[in-house]
Amino acid sequence: MKVIVGAVIEKDGKYLLVQEAQEKCYKKWNIPAGHLDFNESIEQGAIREVKEETNCDVELNGILYIANKILEDDIFVMIIFSTKLINDNIKYDKNEILDVQWFSYDEIMNKMDDKLRKLDYIKTSINNYKNNIVGTINLLNILE
């Protein structure tokens, strides 16, 4: 099973996107997200991915998007969180990320379709954030 965790980060009406360096999605813009590692919670994974890709510190404060896809021999699950930005000292590994930039809602929704990694989850997550369609973070639990 593949689990992807990520987060929408907003500051002054703009949203932080990362430009991918991976060959399969080279130069495409994405929200900070990545694979959940073994031995970490969903929450820890989302916070780690944001830190690794942007060097920003965030606090998760809601759930914006949950999806799954059934693959031929696997299952893919994605969880995207809303955040409170604590520190935005942006730095990134140029082997992983080509650029990190803030974009307006209008730019993302109306001018970047051919530049986004995947339209559905990026636009839905940001739209949900802007329109306060956010599930409570209390829905997230760690099973013992």
Side-chain angles (χ1 to χ4, degrees), residues 10 56 68:
E10 182 269 339
C56 292
N68 80 295

Side-chain angles (χ1 to χ4, degrees), residues 2-137:
K2 294 179 176 103
V3 179
I4 305 297
V5 290
V8 171
I9 305 166
E10 182 269 339
K11 178 183 171 185
D12 300 327
K14 294 197 173 188
Y15 300 87
L16 195 62
L17 298 180
V18 298
Q19 191 176 41
E20 302 277 7
Q22 297 176 47
E23 186 177 330
K24 67 181 178 181
C25 52
Y26 189 71
K27 288 193 174 183
K28 295 289 185 175
W29 291 96
N30 196 7
I31 58 177
H35 292 270
L36 185 67
D37 287 345
F38 288 107
N39 299 315
E40 72 181 348
S41 70
I42 295 167
E43 185 176 28
Q44 290 168 336
I47 291 168
R48 175 188 51 75
E49 283 293 340
V50 167
K51 186 72 171 176
E52 285 179 3
E53 294 191 356
T54 69
N55 197 47
C56 292
D57 295 309
V58 296
E59 177 183 304
L60 307 183
N61 59 16
I63 301 169
L64 293 170
Y65 183 88
I66 300 173
N68 80 295
K69 184 175 184 178
I70 300 168
L71 306 171
E72 188 173 310
D73 58 351
D74 206 351
I75 298 170
F76 171 90
V77 176
M78 174 179 272
I79 305 159
I80 305 298
F81 294 93
S82 65
T83 64
K84 175 184 174 188
L85 181 61
I86 297 169
N87 170 10
D88 68 339
N89 183 24
I90 295 174
K91 288 190 240 177
Y92 52 93
D93 179 349
K94 294 193 180 202
N95 294 316
E96 299 286 324
I97 300 295
L98 298 173
D99 199 3
V100 177
Q101 289 186 29
W102 297 96
F103 293 93
S104 72
Y105 180 81
D106 181 61
E107 286 175 296
I108 295 166
M109 294 299 157
N110 301 312
K111 299 174 184 166
M112 295 182 69
D113 283 5
D114 60 335
K115 297 175 183 162
L116 296 177
R117 181 169 180 178
K118 295 280 186 186
L119 296 180
D120 55 353
Y121 76 85
I122 296 170
K123 285 181 144 186
T124 300
S125 297
I126 291 172
N127 188 60
N128 286 352
Y129 184 97
K130 180 166 176 56
N131 292 296
N132 202 30
I133 304 169
V134 182
T136 177
I137 197 71

